[in-house]
Amino acid sequence: MNDKKLPLRLPSVAFLVCLLLAAMAWLVITFSRDYRVTQEYKIQCYNVPEGKKSVTFSDSTISLTFHQKGINYLMKPYSNKEKVVYISVSDLVKSKKKVSVYTFTNKEMRDFLSQYNFGPELVAVEAPEVLTIYVK
């Protein structure tokens, strides 16, 4: 009985190397593209103004659109399972006069969230069109 090992043939090794290189190139290209992603976030508040007991939002969720590049898309806060936006009510309403009902447009909310929560990756607030905050 002859136990001869069959050597790997050169064409099969070359094929595997080419396949590996192609897979690596595909990963690099996929993770270097620009992505625009819209995700839903729940709204929770903190830092309630002095003398106020409760804060209520007109909508409990907010739809945010992000512009990300490649692998950063998979990082937090975009892959966060909870998807909660914490809003400092005192910081949000400090530029408005002191009333009990505050209304913010998409642009105002985007500017605020870009400054305090997400940074320049936040492109737009898709919904709601207007967010109203009731402070009691």
Side-chain angles (χ1 to χ4, degrees), residues 31-74:
F31 287 121
S32 64
R33 285 194 314 199
D34 291 336
Y35 292 96
R36 217 173 240 258
V37 180
T38 301
Q39 296 181 338
E40 296 284 326
Y41 284 82
K42 292 181 184 176
I43 301 174
Q44 291 192 0
C45 66
Y46 69 96
N47 204 5
V48 179
E50 287 184 32
K52 304 298 181 180
K53 294 180 183 178
S54 68
V55 176
T56 308
F57 294 95
S58 59
D59 289 296
S60 61
T61 61
I62 190 169
S63 181
L64 304 175
T65 299
F66 298 98
H67 176 77
Q68 273 299 314
K69 187 162 185 85
I71 195 81
N72 291 338
Y73 168 64
L74 300 175

mmCIF file of all heavy atoms in Angstrom, residues 31-74:
data_model
loop_
_atom_site.group_PDB
_atom_site.id
_atom_site.type_symbol
_atom_site.label_atom_id
_atom_site.label_comp_id
_atom_site.label_asym_id
_atom_site.label_seq_id
_atom_site.Cartn_x
_atom_site.Cartn_y
_atom_site.Cartn_z
ATOM 1 N N PHE A 31 -17.016 49.280 2.666
ATOM 2 C CA PHE A 31 -16.895 50.086 3.874
ATOM 3 C C PHE A 31 -16.296 51.463 3.636
ATOM 4 O O PHE A 31 -16.064 52.205 4.568
ATOM 5 C CB PHE A 31 -16.100 49.337 4.939
ATOM 6 C CG PHE A 31 -16.882 48.214 5.551
ATOM 7 C CD1 PHE A 31 -16.418 46.918 5.483
ATOM 8 C CD2 PHE A 31 -18.092 48.454 6.168
ATOM 9 C CE1 PHE A 31 -17.138 45.884 6.051
ATOM 10 C CE2 PHE A 31 -18.826 47.434 6.734
ATOM 11 C CZ PHE A 31 -18.345 46.140 6.667
ATOM 12 N N SER A 32 -16.047 51.825 2.393
ATOM 13 C CA SER A 32 -15.557 53.175 2.127
ATOM 14 C C SER A 32 -16.607 54.032 1.412
ATOM 15 O O SER A 32 -16.349 55.188 1.121
ATOM 16 C CB SER A 32 -14.273 53.121 1.299
ATOM 17 O OG SER A 32 -14.528 52.565 0.036
ATOM 18 N N ARG A 33 -17.779 53.482 1.162
ATOM 19 C CA ARG A 33 -18.848 54.250 0.522
ATOM 20 C C ARG A 33 -19.525 55.174 1.526
ATOM 21 O O ARG A 33 -19.433 54.989 2.730
ATOM 22 C CB ARG A 33 -19.905 53.311 -0.053
ATOM 23 C CG ARG A 33 -19.478 52.624 -1.300
ATOM 24 C CD ARG A 33 -20.617 51.990 -2.009
ATOM 25 N NE ARG A 33 -21.497 51.232 -1.106
ATOM 26 C CZ ARG A 33 -22.332 50.319 -1.491
ATOM 27 N NH1 ARG A 33 -22.442 50.020 -2.750
ATOM 28 N NH2 ARG A 33 -23.090 49.694 -0.632
ATOM 29 N N ASP A 34 -20.233 56.156 0.996
ATOM 30 C CA ASP A 34 -21.027 57.057 1.819
ATOM 31 C C ASP A 34 -22.431 56.489 1.962
ATOM 32 O O ASP A 34 -23.006 55.968 0.998
ATOM 33 C CB ASP A 34 -21.118 58.443 1.186
ATOM 34 C CG ASP A 34 -19.794 59.166 1.221
ATOM 35 O OD1 ASP A 34 -18.961 58.831 2.083
ATOM 36 O OD2 ASP A 34 -19.594 60.075 0.403
ATOM 37 N N TYR A 35 -22.980 56.596 3.163
ATOM 38 C CA TYR A 35 -24.318 56.098 3.433
ATOM 39 C C TYR A 35 -25.179 57.224 3.982
ATOM 40 O O TYR A 35 -24.708 58.082 4.713
ATOM 41 C CB TYR A 35 -24.281 54.971 4.474
ATOM 42 C CG TYR A 35 -23.612 53.723 3.976
ATOM 43 C CD1 TYR A 35 -22.271 53.472 4.242
ATOM 44 C CD2 TYR A 35 -24.316 52.792 3.238
ATOM 45 C CE1 TYR A 35 -21.650 52.327 3.790
ATOM 46 C CE2 TYR A 35 -23.706 51.640 2.777
ATOM 47 C CZ TYR A 35 -22.374 51.413 3.063
ATOM 48 O OH TYR A 35 -21.777 50.285 2.616
ATOM 49 N N ARG A 36 -26.456 57.202 3.649
ATOM 50 C CA ARG A 36 -27.444 58.113 4.210
ATOM 51 C C ARG A 36 -28.515 57.218 4.825
ATOM 52 O O ARG A 36 -29.203 56.478 4.114
ATOM 53 C CB ARG A 36 -28.044 58.973 3.110
ATOM 54 C CG ARG A 36 -28.315 60.367 3.527
ATOM 55 C CD ARG A 36 -28.747 61.163 2.320
ATOM 56 N NE ARG A 36 -27.824 62.245 2.115
ATOM 57 C CZ ARG A 36 -28.094 63.492 2.478
ATOM 58 N NH1 ARG A 36 -29.239 63.775 3.019
ATOM 59 N NH2 ARG A 36 -27.203 64.423 2.290
ATOM 60 N N VAL A 37 -28.653 57.299 6.134
ATOM 61 C CA VAL A 37 -29.521 56.385 6.854
ATOM 62 C C VAL A 37 -30.500 57.175 7.709
ATOM 63 O O VAL A 37 -30.114 58.114 8.402
ATOM 64 C CB VAL A 37 -28.678 55.464 7.755
ATOM 65 C CG1 VAL A 37 -29.559 54.510 8.522
ATOM 66 C CG2 VAL A 37 -27.662 54.711 6.948
ATOM 67 N N THR A 38 -31.780 56.790 7.668
ATOM 68 C CA THR A 38 -32.803 57.403 8.504
ATOM 69 C C THR A 38 -33.218 56.395 9.565
ATOM 70 O O THR A 38 -33.525 55.241 9.244
ATOM 71 C CB THR A 38 -34.021 57.816 7.660
ATOM 72 O OG1 THR A 38 -33.585 58.734 6.655
ATOM 73 C CG2 THR A 38 -35.083 58.462 8.515
ATOM 74 N N GLN A 39 -33.194 56.846 10.827
ATOM 75 C CA GLN A 39 -33.541 55.959 11.937
ATOM 76 C C GLN A 39 -34.476 56.671 12.902
ATOM 77 O O GLN A 39 -34.443 57.889 13.037
ATOM 78 C CB GLN A 39 -32.274 55.521 12.679
ATOM 79 C CG GLN A 39 -31.358 54.705 11.815
ATOM 80 C CD GLN A 39 -30.110 54.262 12.558
ATOM 81 O OE1 GLN A 39 -29.725 54.858 13.549
ATOM 82 N NE2 GLN A 39 -29.494 53.214 12.062
ATOM 83 N N GLU A 40 -35.296 55.869 13.580
ATOM 84 C CA GLU A 40 -36.243 56.386 14.572
ATOM 85 C C GLU A 40 -35.600 56.346 15.957
ATOM 86 O O GLU A 40 -34.977 55.353 16.330
ATOM 87 C CB GLU A 40 -37.507 55.516 14.596
ATOM 88 C CG GLU A 40 -38.302 55.531 13.320
ATOM 89 C CD GLU A 40 -39.095 56.801 13.148
ATOM 90 O OE1 GLU A 40 -39.569 57.351 14.161
ATOM 91 O OE2 GLU A 40 -39.235 57.251 12.002
ATOM 92 N N TYR A 41 -35.755 57.425 16.705
ATOM 93 C CA TYR A 41 -35.234 57.524 18.064
ATOM 94 C C TYR A 41 -36.361 57.942 18.999
ATOM 95 O O TYR A 41 -37.200 58.773 18.648
ATOM 96 C CB TYR A 41 -34.126 58.579 18.157
ATOM 97 C CG TYR A 41 -32.808 58.125 17.584
ATOM 98 C CD1 TYR A 41 -32.571 58.180 16.227
ATOM 99 C CD2 TYR A 41 -31.809 57.651 18.416
ATOM 100 C CE1 TYR A 41 -31.357 57.765 15.700
ATOM 101 C CE2 TYR A 41 -30.593 57.241 17.903
ATOM 102 C CZ TYR A 41 -30.380 57.304 16.546
ATOM 103 O OH TYR A 41 -29.187 56.889 16.033
ATOM 104 N N LYS A 42 -36.388 57.368 20.200
ATOM 105 C CA LYS A 42 -37.305 57.814 21.237
ATOM 106 C C LYS A 42 -36.723 59.075 21.873
ATOM 107 O O LYS A 42 -35.515 59.228 21.952
ATOM 108 C CB LYS A 42 -37.471 56.741 22.310
ATOM 109 C CG LYS A 42 -38.189 55.514 21.826
ATOM 110 C CD LYS A 42 -38.322 54.518 22.935
ATOM 111 C CE LYS A 42 -38.970 53.252 22.414
ATOM 112 N NZ LYS A 42 -39.033 52.210 23.426
ATOM 113 N N ILE A 43 -37.600 59.954 22.331
ATOM 114 C CA ILE A 43 -37.164 61.194 22.961
ATOM 115 C C ILE A 43 -37.327 61.083 24.472
ATOM 116 O O ILE A 43 -38.402 60.702 24.950
ATOM 117 C CB ILE A 43 -37.994 62.392 22.458
ATOM 118 C CG1 ILE A 43 -37.868 62.542 20.955
ATOM 119 C CG2 ILE A 43 -37.557 63.670 23.164
ATOM 120 C CD1 ILE A 43 -38.769 63.611 20.369
ATOM 121 N N GLN A 44 -36.267 61.398 25.196
ATOM 122 C CA GLN A 44 -36.332 61.494 26.642
ATOM 123 C C GLN A 44 -35.647 62.784 27.058
ATOM 124 O O GLN A 44 -34.682 63.207 26.426
ATOM 125 C CB GLN A 44 -35.680 60.289 27.310
ATOM 126 C CG GLN A 44 -36.471 59.025 27.114
ATOM 127 C CD GLN A 44 -35.994 57.899 28.006
ATOM 128 O OE1 GLN A 44 -35.073 58.046 28.783
ATOM 129 N NE2 GLN A 44 -36.640 56.761 27.880
ATOM 130 N N CYS A 45 -36.166 63.388 28.108
ATOM 131 C CA CYS A 45 -35.617 64.677 28.511
ATOM 132 C C CYS A 45 -34.915 64.579 29.860
ATOM 133 O O CYS A 45 -35.146 63.656 30.638
ATOM 134 C CB CYS A 45 -36.712 65.723 28.564
ATOM 135 S SG CYS A 45 -37.926 65.421 29.842
ATOM 136 N N TYR A 46 -34.047 65.532 30.070
ATOM 137 C CA TYR A 46 -33.400 65.711 31.363
ATOM 138 C C TYR A 46 -33.139 67.201 31.528
ATOM 139 O O TYR A 46 -33.391 67.994 30.630
ATOM 140 C CB TYR A 46 -32.113 64.887 31.461
ATOM 141 C CG TYR A 46 -30.985 65.373 30.579
ATOM 142 C CD1 TYR A 46 -30.006 66.210 31.096
ATOM 143 C CD2 TYR A 46 -30.895 65.001 29.239
ATOM 144 C CE1 TYR A 46 -28.959 66.658 30.296
ATOM 145 C CE2 TYR A 46 -29.869 65.452 28.441
ATOM 146 C CZ TYR A 46 -28.901 66.274 28.976
ATOM 147 O OH TYR A 46 -27.889 66.722 28.181
ATOM 148 N N ASN A 47 -32.660 67.588 32.685
ATOM 149 C CA ASN A 47 -32.328 68.987 32.950
ATOM 150 C C ASN A 47 -33.565 69.876 32.781
ATOM 151 O O ASN A 47 -33.566 70.830 32.014
ATOM 152 C CB ASN A 47 -31.192 69.437 32.033
ATOM 153 C CG ASN A 47 -30.441 70.614 32.613
ATOM 154 O OD1 ASN A 47 -30.708 71.035 33.725
ATOM 155 N ND2 ASN A 47 -29.503 71.137 31.850
ATOM 156 N N VAL A 48 -34.636 69.546 33.519
ATOM 157 C CA VAL A 48 -35.885 70.292 33.473
ATOM 158 C C VAL A 48 -35.663 71.663 34.124
ATOM 159 O O VAL A 48 -34.968 71.760 35.135
ATOM 160 C CB VAL A 48 -36.999 69.508 34.209
ATOM 161 C CG1 VAL A 48 -38.306 70.268 34.215
ATOM 162 C CG2 VAL A 48 -37.181 68.151 33.562
ATOM 163 N N PRO A 49 -36.221 72.740 33.555
ATOM 164 C CA PRO A 49 -36.031 74.077 34.133
ATOM 165 C C PRO A 49 -36.504 74.155 35.591
ATOM 166 O O PRO A 49 -37.418 73.437 35.995
ATOM 167 C CB PRO A 49 -36.890 74.982 33.243
ATOM 168 C CG PRO A 49 -37.050 74.232 31.978
ATOM 169 C CD PRO A 49 -37.014 72.781 32.330
ATOM 170 N N GLU A 50 -35.884 75.049 36.346
ATOM 171 C CA GLU A 50 -36.227 75.208 37.764
ATOM 172 C C GLU A 50 -37.692 75.602 37.923
ATOM 173 O O GLU A 50 -38.224 76.395 37.154
ATOM 174 C CB GLU A 50 -35.349 76.282 38.393
ATOM 175 C CG GLU A 50 -33.927 75.839 38.607
ATOM 176 C CD GLU A 50 -33.113 76.907 39.317
ATOM 177 O OE1 GLU A 50 -33.681 77.651 40.146
ATOM 178 O OE2 GLU A 50 -31.915 76.985 39.022
ATOM 179 N N GLY A 51 -38.320 75.035 38.940
ATOM 180 C CA GLY A 51 -39.708 75.350 39.232
ATOM 181 C C GLY A 51 -40.704 74.575 38.397
ATOM 182 O O GLY A 51 -41.905 74.725 38.572
ATOM 183 N N LYS A 52 -40.252 73.753 37.480
ATOM 184 C CA LYS A 52 -41.148 72.969 36.623
ATOM 185 C C LYS A 52 -41.109 71.517 37.081
ATOM 186 O O LYS A 52 -40.078 71.006 37.501
ATOM 187 C CB LYS A 52 -40.738 73.059 35.157
ATOM 188 C CG LYS A 52 -40.669 74.481 34.629
ATOM 189 C CD LYS A 52 -42.018 75.165 34.685
ATOM 190 C CE LYS A 52 -41.920 76.575 34.130
ATOM 191 N NZ LYS A 52 -43.178 77.258 34.152
ATOM 192 N N LYS A 53 -42.258 70.843 36.983
ATOM 193 C CA LYS A 53 -42.350 69.474 37.473
ATOM 194 C C LYS A 53 -42.249 68.431 36.376
ATOM 195 O O LYS A 53 -41.667 67.379 36.564
ATOM 196 C CB LYS A 53 -43.664 69.278 38.232
ATOM 197 C CG LYS A 53 -43.749 70.090 39.493
ATOM 198 C CD LYS A 53 -45.065 69.849 40.183
ATOM 199 C CE LYS A 53 -45.152 70.733 41.426
ATOM 200 N NZ LYS A 53 -46.407 70.592 42.097
ATOM 201 N N SER A 54 -42.844 68.720 35.219
ATOM 202 C CA SER A 54 -42.860 67.705 34.165
ATOM 203 C C SER A 54 -42.719 68.339 32.788
ATOM 204 O O SER A 54 -43.013 69.510 32.589
ATOM 205 C CB SER A 54 -44.144 66.881 34.220
ATOM 206 O OG SER A 54 -45.237 67.681 33.870
ATOM 207 N N VAL A 55 -42.267 67.514 31.862
ATOM 208 C CA VAL A 55 -42.106 67.931 30.470
ATOM 209 C C VAL A 55 -42.760 66.878 29.589
ATOM 210 O O VAL A 55 -42.538 65.687 29.780
ATOM 211 C CB VAL A 55 -40.614 68.076 30.107
ATOM 212 C CG1 VAL A 55 -40.459 68.403 28.641
ATOM 213 C CG2 VAL A 55 -39.960 69.142 30.958
ATOM 214 N N THR A 56 -43.560 67.323 28.624
ATOM 215 C CA THR A 56 -44.218 66.414 27.691
ATOM 216 C C THR A 56 -43.906 66.871 26.270
ATOM 217 O O THR A 56 -43.892 68.062 25.990
ATOM 218 C CB THR A 56 -45.742 66.440 27.900
ATOM 219 O OG1 THR A 56 -46.028 66.227 29.266
ATOM 220 C CG2 THR A 56 -46.420 65.362 27.073
ATOM 221 N N PHE A 57 -43.650 65.897 25.389
ATOM 222 C CA PHE A 57 -43.377 66.185 23.981
ATOM 223 C C PHE A 57 -44.602 65.860 23.156
ATOM 224 O O PHE A 57 -45.347 64.939 23.469
ATOM 225 C CB PHE A 57 -42.191 65.352 23.478
ATOM 226 C CG PHE A 57 -40.892 65.716 24.126
ATOM 227 C CD1 PHE A 57 -40.430 65.027 25.224
ATOM 228 C CD2 PHE A 57 -40.120 66.750 23.622
ATOM 229 C CE1 PHE A 57 -39.235 65.358 25.818
ATOM 230 C CE2 PHE A 57 -38.921 67.091 24.210
ATOM 231 C CZ PHE A 57 -38.469 66.398 25.317
ATOM 232 N N SER A 58 -44.801 66.596 22.051
ATOM 233 C CA SER A 58 -45.936 66.330 21.168
ATOM 234 C C SER A 58 -45.789 64.982 20.464
ATOM 235 O O SER A 58 -46.775 64.343 20.138
ATOM 236 C CB SER A 58 -46.097 67.440 20.139
ATOM 237 O OG SER A 58 -44.926 67.557 19.352
ATOM 238 N N ASP A 59 -44.562 64.560 20.221
ATOM 239 C CA ASP A 59 -44.287 63.244 19.629
ATOM 240 C C ASP A 59 -43.274 62.532 20.511
ATOM 241 O O ASP A 59 -42.334 63.149 21.001
ATOM 242 C CB ASP A 59 -43.714 63.392 18.220
ATOM 243 C CG ASP A 59 -44.754 63.870 17.234
ATOM 244 O OD1 ASP A 59 -45.722 63.126 17.025
ATOM 245 O OD2 ASP A 59 -44.576 64.971 16.680
ATOM 246 N N SER A 60 -43.448 61.231 20.657
ATOM 247 C CA SER A 60 -42.520 60.482 21.505
ATOM 248 C C SER A 60 -41.318 59.966 20.728
ATOM 249 O O SER A 60 -40.347 59.509 21.321
ATOM 250 C CB SER A 60 -43.236 59.314 22.170
ATOM 251 O OG SER A 60 -43.731 58.432 21.180
ATOM 252 N N THR A 61 -41.383 60.017 19.397
ATOM 253 C CA THR A 61 -40.252 59.580 18.579
ATOM 254 C C THR A 61 -39.880 60.678 17.585
ATOM 255 O O THR A 61 -40.691 61.514 17.234
ATOM 256 C CB THR A 61 -40.560 58.286 17.798
ATOM 257 O OG1 THR A 61 -41.658 58.530 16.930
ATOM 258 C CG2 THR A 61 -40.868 57.131 18.733
ATOM 259 N N ILE A 62 -38.641 60.594 17.143
ATOM 260 C CA ILE A 62 -38.120 61.553 16.175
ATOM 261 C C ILE A 62 -37.344 60.760 15.130
ATOM 262 O O ILE A 62 -36.655 59.798 15.458
ATOM 263 C CB ILE A 62 -37.250 62.609 16.882
ATOM 264 C CG1 ILE A 62 -36.897 63.751 15.955
ATOM 265 C CG2 ILE A 62 -36.035 62.006 17.517
ATOM 266 C CD1 ILE A 62 -36.283 64.933 16.684
ATOM 267 N N SER A 63 -37.514 61.120 13.883
ATOM 268 C CA SER A 63 -36.858 60.421 12.777
ATOM 269 C C SER A 63 -35.669 61.262 12.306
ATOM 270 O O SER A 63 -35.852 62.391 11.860
ATOM 271 C CB SER A 63 -37.856 60.208 11.647
ATOM 272 O OG SER A 63 -37.260 59.532 10.590
ATOM 273 N N LEU A 64 -34.456 60.701 12.412
ATOM 274 C CA LEU A 64 -33.233 61.429 12.090
ATOM 275 C C LEU A 64 -32.513 60.788 10.910
ATOM 276 O O LEU A 64 -32.436 59.565 10.814
ATOM 277 C CB LEU A 64 -32.291 61.439 13.291
ATOM 278 C CG LEU A 64 -32.858 61.990 14.593
ATOM 279 C CD1 LEU A 64 -31.857 61.837 15.721
ATOM 280 C CD2 LEU A 64 -33.253 63.431 14.420
ATOM 281 N N THR A 65 -31.967 61.625 10.028
ATOM 282 C CA THR A 65 -31.196 61.146 8.885
ATOM 283 C C THR A 65 -29.732 61.499 9.102
ATOM 284 O O THR A 65 -29.396 62.641 9.402
ATOM 285 C CB THR A 65 -31.693 61.786 7.580
ATOM 286 O OG1 THR A 65 -33.056 61.421 7.399
ATOM 287 C CG2 THR A 65 -30.884 61.297 6.385
ATOM 288 N N PHE A 66 -28.865 60.484 8.930
ATOM 289 C CA PHE A 66 -27.427 60.641 9.136
ATOM 290 C C PHE A 66 -26.680 60.421 7.829
ATOM 291 O O PHE A 66 -27.104 59.630 6.994
ATOM 292 C CB PHE A 66 -26.911 59.624 10.155
ATOM 293 C CG PHE A 66 -27.515 59.785 11.504
ATOM 294 C CD1 PHE A 66 -28.574 59.004 11.900
ATOM 295 C CD2 PHE A 66 -27.017 60.721 12.386
ATOM 296 C CE1 PHE A 66 -29.139 59.148 13.147
ATOM 297 C CE2 PHE A 66 -27.565 60.876 13.640
ATOM 298 C CZ PHE A 66 -28.632 60.085 14.017
ATOM 299 N N HIS A 67 -25.567 61.097 7.702
ATOM 300 C CA HIS A 67 -24.648 60.892 6.586
ATOM 301 C C HIS A 67 -23.374 60.314 7.185
ATOM 302 O O HIS A 67 -22.716 60.959 7.985
ATOM 303 C CB HIS A 67 -24.352 62.217 5.879
ATOM 304 C CG HIS A 67 -23.353 62.080 4.784
ATOM 305 N ND1 HIS A 67 -23.674 61.543 3.561
ATOM 306 C CD2 HIS A 67 -22.038 62.390 4.731
ATOM 307 C CE1 HIS A 67 -22.593 61.538 2.799
ATOM 308 N NE2 HIS A 67 -21.590 62.048 3.492
ATOM 309 N N GLN A 68 -23.059 59.075 6.817
ATOM 310 C CA GLN A 68 -21.895 58.405 7.377
ATOM 311 C C GLN A 68 -21.048 57.810 6.278
ATOM 312 O O GLN A 68 -21.516 57.544 5.185
ATOM 313 C CB GLN A 68 -22.321 57.278 8.323
ATOM 314 C CG GLN A 68 -22.558 57.736 9.711
ATOM 315 C CD GLN A 68 -21.317 58.338 10.320
ATOM 316 O OE1 GLN A 68 -20.228 57.801 10.233
ATOM 317 N NE2 GLN A 68 -21.477 59.483 10.938
ATOM 318 N N LYS A 69 -19.808 57.585 6.605
ATOM 319 C CA LYS A 69 -18.882 56.979 5.672
ATOM 320 C C LYS A 69 -18.475 55.617 6.212
ATOM 321 O O LYS A 69 -17.924 55.525 7.301
ATOM 322 C CB LYS A 69 -17.652 57.860 5.501
ATOM 323 C CG LYS A 69 -16.725 57.368 4.430
ATOM 324 C CD LYS A 69 -15.797 58.480 4.011
ATOM 325 C CE LYS A 69 -14.956 58.067 2.867
ATOM 326 N NZ LYS A 69 -15.588 58.260 1.590
ATOM 327 N N GLY A 70 -18.768 54.595 5.454
ATOM 328 C CA GLY A 70 -18.280 53.253 5.694
ATOM 329 C C GLY A 70 -18.470 52.682 7.072
ATOM 330 O O GLY A 70 -19.561 52.598 7.579
ATOM 331 N N ILE A 71 -17.366 52.289 7.686
ATOM 332 C CA ILE A 71 -17.383 51.546 8.939
ATOM 333 C C ILE A 71 -17.978 52.367 10.077
ATOM 334 O O ILE A 71 -18.524 51.806 11.011
ATOM 335 C CB ILE A 71 -15.970 51.032 9.300
ATOM 336 C CG1 ILE A 71 -16.016 49.960 10.391
ATOM 337 C CG2 ILE A 71 -15.074 52.147 9.712
ATOM 338 C CD1 ILE A 71 -16.361 48.619 9.876
ATOM 339 N N ASN A 72 -17.922 53.682 10.006
ATOM 340 C CA ASN A 72 -18.507 54.517 11.054
ATOM 341 C C ASN A 72 -20.002 54.301 11.171
ATOM 342 O O ASN A 72 -20.581 54.523 12.230
ATOM 343 C CB ASN A 72 -18.228 55.995 10.796
ATOM 344 C CG ASN A 72 -16.779 56.329 10.982
ATOM 345 O OD1 ASN A 72 -16.063 55.616 11.671
ATOM 346 N ND2 ASN A 72 -16.340 57.394 10.365
ATOM 347 N N TYR A 73 -20.645 53.881 10.092
ATOM 348 C CA TYR A 73 -22.074 53.611 10.111
ATOM 349 C C TYR A 73 -22.416 52.503 11.102
ATOM 350 O O TYR A 73 -23.471 52.501 11.716
ATOM 351 C CB TYR A 73 -22.556 53.248 8.713
ATOM 352 C CG TYR A 73 -23.940 52.670 8.679
ATOM 353 C CD1 TYR A 73 -25.037 53.425 9.066
ATOM 354 C CD2 TYR A 73 -24.157 51.363 8.286
ATOM 355 C CE1 TYR A 73 -26.298 52.903 9.048
ATOM 356 C CE2 TYR A 73 -25.420 50.828 8.261
ATOM 357 C CZ TYR A 73 -26.488 51.603 8.646
ATOM 358 O OH TYR A 73 -27.734 51.068 8.635
ATOM 359 N N LEU A 74 -21.501 51.560 11.283
ATOM 360 C CA LEU A 74 -21.757 50.443 12.183
ATOM 361 C C LEU A 74 -21.469 50.786 13.641
ATOM 362 O O LEU A 74 -21.789 50.014 14.529
ATOM 363 C CB LEU A 74 -20.897 49.246 11.769
ATOM 364 C CG LEU A 74 -21.147 48.726 10.358
ATOM 365 C CD1 LEU A 74 -20.163 47.632 10.027
ATOM 366 C CD2 LEU A 74 -22.563 48.244 10.198
#
